[in-house]
Each structure stands twice: as C-alpha cells, then as structure tokens.
Amino acid sequence: MHAPREPFQPAVPAPWQRAAAGANLLGPAGRLGVTIFEEMTTLAAKTGAINLGQGFPDEDGPAEIKAAAMAAIDAGANQYAPGKGILELREAVAAHQERFYGLTHDPQTEVIITTGATEGLAAALLAFVGAGDEVLTFEPFYDSYGAVIALSGATHVTAPLLAPDFFPDLAALEAAFTDRTRVVLLNNPHNPTGAVFPREVLQRVVELARRHECLIITDEVYEHLTFGAGHIPVATLPGAAERTITISSAGKTFSFTGWKIGWLTGPEHLVAAVRTVKQFLTYSSGTPFQAAIATGLGLPDAFYHGIAATLREKRDILSQGLRAAGFDVFTPQGTYFVNVDTAPLGIRDSVDLARRLPELVGVAAIPVPVFCHPAGAERTRSLLRFAFCKKVEVLEEAAARLATLSGKL
Ligand code: PMP
Ligand code: GLN
C-alpha cells in the first residue's frame, strides 16, 4: 500500500498557477492550474498576436495522410479501436522502429497505440511509480512530466541542463540518482531546449539506470526533427532495451498535433503493465486517425529528410530575426523550438516578459522557467522559448515585430 499522497506543489508558483480561493477542496486538480500552453495560446488569440508559444504547425501534414483518414471514416472505421490500437498501426510502428533504428518489436505484445505521447507518458508513469519512489528528469522538463509525477505521488528529482548546449552536468546527473530512483524519464530531442544529446550522455544514463536498477522511459516525439547528427533511440544502446519504454507520436513528425495518436514500445512485460493502466485512462482512441497514421509511417525516407530540412531553414530564419532583435540565441539541434536569453535587452524575468510580449509587439512565446522547479527557474529566469514550426512569411513578420521590442521596453 502506498502512503497517503503529499499535496501537489506546482513546479513554479507562477501567477497563472495561483490556486483560486477554495481550490484546496479540489485536491491535486486545484493546484495544477492552467498549462502555460493554454494560457499563452489564449492570450495570443485575445491580442491577435503571432503565436510562437504553443508548439503546433500552421500547415497541415501530407495530403495522402489526410485522404487516408477520410477514407477510413468513409469505410466505417468509426467505433472503438482495440485497447492496444489497430493491428495495422501497431505493425507500422514496429516496421518504423526496424527501418530507422534496427529495433525489432512484436506488434502483438510489444507495441501499444496511445492518445498522443501525453497518454503514453501518463500511463507509463502511473504503471511504475507511486509514493516513496523518485522519478529523475532533466531540467527544464516538459510540463506534463511534473504534473503526472505529482499525481502519481512520486517525488520528482531533477538534474540540470546547462546553457549554451543544454547538455547535462554528468556529475550532477550521477548525484541525482538514489536507491529510491525508480524511473529515469528522458526526453531526446529535448523540449524546451532543442538539445539533441550525444551518445556519451545517453550511454551514461543507461549505465546509471542499470547501476540503480531503474527503468528508462524515453520520450522521443521529436525523433525526426533533428538538424545535425541523427537521432539515437536510447533503446538501441547496449544494456538499455530490457529496461526501456520508448514513447513517440504522430503529432510532430506528420504535423497532425490535433489527432493525438501516439505509441509506445518496449519489452512485453513492461508494455503489458502500461496497457493495464491505459485501459482506464482512455481505453482506446481515434480509430480512423490510427489507420491514417499507419499510412504516414510508411512514407518513403525522402519525406522524413524533407521535414527536417524544411524546419532547419525555418530555424535559421527565426534565429536570425531573434539575433537582430537583440537576443542571445541558443541554436537548437532538434525539435521546433529555439531558446533565447533576453538579458541582453535588460530583461530579468522572462515570465513577466512573456505575459506582456503579445501586447507589446504582437508575438507570443513561452518562458522557460515554467519548465523548472524553483532553483532551475532561477537559473533560466531570463530564457524564452519560440516555436518555429510556422510558415516562412509568419516567421519573417514575427521577426520584424520583435525587432521593435528594444524600443518599447
Ligand atoms: N512530449 C514532448 C516533449 C512534447 O513536446 C509534447 C508536445 N507535443 C508531448 C510529449 C505530447 O505529445 P502529444 O501531442 O502526442 O500528446
Ligand atoms: N508540446 C507542445 C509544446 O511544447 C504543447 C502541447 C500542449 O499544449 N500540451 O509547445
């Protein structure tokens, strides 16, 4: 039996997370607050700002994938999918893992389809951790990690990523492991920093996970969005596969973030444990979208190279604009996010700036401290994240608007 849960404390008690009067009655839900993505997208809509905050493309993905979804709807694929996902998509995920990484998985027992990576992460964490356990992540960390770890009752321990490359301090990483570490939750390529971790870092994580007998849950949703060295799935490293659950999703690769089709692969006994939890979260999801994403995963290599090349150009366009606006730019090697330091413009608090930026210049962005616990928030206090998965003309207009910022501060 788990001990009673500690009340949830938000990662950063930022203004938008301040609990409403009486929120204590709501338990953990009252303390989670509105996500920064929702907050900034709402603000962008209200002010008519260009939304470079929440990461979603402003163009649809491939026409053949859309056509496949419509055909599936027409063909009557409109009732519940099996809990673990339709076989066609499980087979396509297994084929994708083999084609790109040489990983082999039995689509019957080692692959499940989830409602986006978000559900895969939640189901995996809830399957393996509870009160008394520690979950180790890098910091900054994607926002749902902090929330789900808290909901599970486990303790969230972090190891810092350090500018300018946002690689971890390996000594701090080693020191963050304890005999209560049950899961190390990785994210590579990394949101929000855009870091792509080199093999040595990943290998070190695997060694430490083995030494401390813990599981690795790895979130690789940006696996195809890298601009230099290709993606290295943790599960391909020596000694990793037996203890690793790999999570990905269709949202980023195919530009259909609203379809919420994700997947998870790993050893049979681990996948079975996640499936048990997943049954009671959503049971299953998006039957016709699953069929369509099976089509997507089968697209030729040229498609995958094309998305990375296009994004790389967009990264460079926005980065140049951000530099011209006076920010220090940390060039990302993956994802569709670029981080800047606002300090050269005399700004000390990116949370405050992010809340004013839409009114000031008509652009929305996400402050990096919200992805941190208090010490990390202090370390990243002047950092701001911009999404560049937008049309070139939109990025150029955003850059032009940001160029006026220094005169308005
Ligand atoms: N993990 C990371 C690192 C993300 O950036 C996101 C957001 N796209 C997710 C998970 C959630 O993915 P999905 O939309 O497939 O649930
Ligand atoms: N992953 C997206 C981002 O980091 C947001 C997804 C969401 O709103 N939950 O911007």
Side-chain angles (χ1 to χ4, degrees):
M1 278 289 286
H2 289 141
R5 289 178 178 170
E6 286 297 308
F8 173 71
Q9 295 300 326
V12 182
W16 57 85
Q17 291 173 310
R18 215 169 280 142
N24 280 346
L25 297 175
L26 300 173
R31 292 153 193 257
L32 285 174
V34 174
T35 79
I36 187 66
F37 306 120
E38 186 96 21
E39 161 103 7
M40 288 301 157
T41 290
T42 305
L43 190 56
K46 206 167 94 188
T47 55
I50 296 175
N51 189 356
L52 305 186
Q54 190 179 33
F56 61 90
D58 59 357
E59 290 176 286
D60 286 346
E64 57 265 59
I65 303 183
K66 287 206 282 189
M70 290 185 266
I73 289 172
D74 273 345
N78 298 307
Q79 309 307 330
Y80 294 125
K84 61 184 174 182
I86 65 169
L87 179 60
E88 189 190 353
L89 180 53
R90 281 182 280 123
E91 285 175 343
V93 168
H96 170 276
Q97 296 304 94
E98 170 125 45
R99 162 156 69 131
F100 288 100
Y101 311 124
L103 290 166
T104 52
H105 287 291
D106 180 345
Q108 293 295 357
T109 56
E110 297 179 333
V111 180
I112 55 176
I113 306 308
T114 57
T115 304
T118 307
E119 190 203 24
L121 286 158
L125 287 167
L126 294 173
F128 298 117
V129 303
D133 297 325
E134 290 176 0
V135 180
L136 175 56
T137 72
F138 290 139
E139 183 183 53
F141 50 84
Y142 180 59
D143 76 331
S144 82
Y145 300 179
V148 177
I149 293 167
L151 291 170
S152 79
T155 301
H156 187 177
V157 176
T158 59
L161 298 176
L162 302 175
D165 57 11
F166 295 107
F167 292 166
D169 168 346
L170 290 180
L173 174 67
E174 180 164 357
F177 276 83
T178 74
D179 53 11
R180 295 199 305 162
T181 310
R182 179 112 169 90
V183 165
V184 47
L185 172 54
L186 267 184
N187 172 213
N188 184 43
H190 184 264
N191 180 10
T193 65
V196 175
F197 302 119
R199 186 176 292 273
E200 310 80 78
V201 167
L202 300 175
Q203 191 57 59
R204 192 79 190 113
V205 171
V206 174
E207 282 161 18
L208 290 166
R210 288 174 65 85
R211 189 193 300 167
H212 292 271
E213 282 290 306
C214 54
L215 297 175
I216 300 170
I217 300 176
T218 175
D219 172 350
E220 303 186 357
V221 299
Y222 298 99
E223 62 189 311
H224 289 293
L225 313 187
T226 62
F227 313 124
H231 174 63
I232 305 173
V234 181
T236 60
L237 297 179
E242 72 208 35
R243 61 182 67 243
T244 299
I245 289 201
T246 304
I247 293 172
S248 192
S249 104
K252 322 292 156 181
T253 301
F254 300 113
S255 296
F256 291 116
T257 60
W259 288 11
K260 298 297 289 187
I261 299 296
W263 51 86
L264 179 152
T265 53
E268 179 175 351
H269 66 291
L270 298 181
V271 170
V274 181
R275 228 174 102 195
T276 306
V277 174
K278 190 246 180 303
Q279 300 178 98
F280 302 109
L281 295 179
T282 57
Y283 180 63
S284 70
S285 68
T287 311
F289 298 128
Q290 291 193 28
I293 296 302
T295 302
L297 286 169
L299 290 175
D301 290 2
F303 163 77
Y304 292 91
H305 297 147
I307 50 173
T310 305
L311 264 182
R312 190 191 168 115
E313 281 166 31
K314 294 181 173 193
R315 173 196 71 172
D316 293 343
I317 290 167
L318 184 62
S319 298
Q320 202 185 348
L322 291 167
R323 243 175 249 119
F327 298 114
D328 272 350
V329 176
F330 303 106
T331 304
Q333 298 305 312
T335 77
Y336 40 50
F337 304 113
V338 55
N339 287 240
V340 302
D341 193 345
T342 63
L345 291 181
I347 293 157
R348 288 166 44 81
D349 181 351
S350 63
V351 172
D352 175 61
L353 178 66
R355 303 186 89 209
R356 295 195 298 131
L357 201 59
E359 277 293 351
L360 275 176
V361 296
V363 176
I366 301 283
V368 175
V370 304
F371 300 108
C372 298
H373 289 158
E378 197 47 48
R379 203 171 42 244
T380 58
R381 200 166 156 204
S382 55
L383 304 192
L384 200 56
R385 187 196 83 173
F386 291 87
F388 53 83
C389 46
K390 307 291 174 185
K391 293 188 193 93
V392 167
E393 59 269 30
V394 173
L395 297 174
E396 285 169 348
E397 173 60 23
R401 293 182 185 191
L402 287 163
T404 66
L405 177 63
S406 64
K408 295 181 174 172
L409 289 169

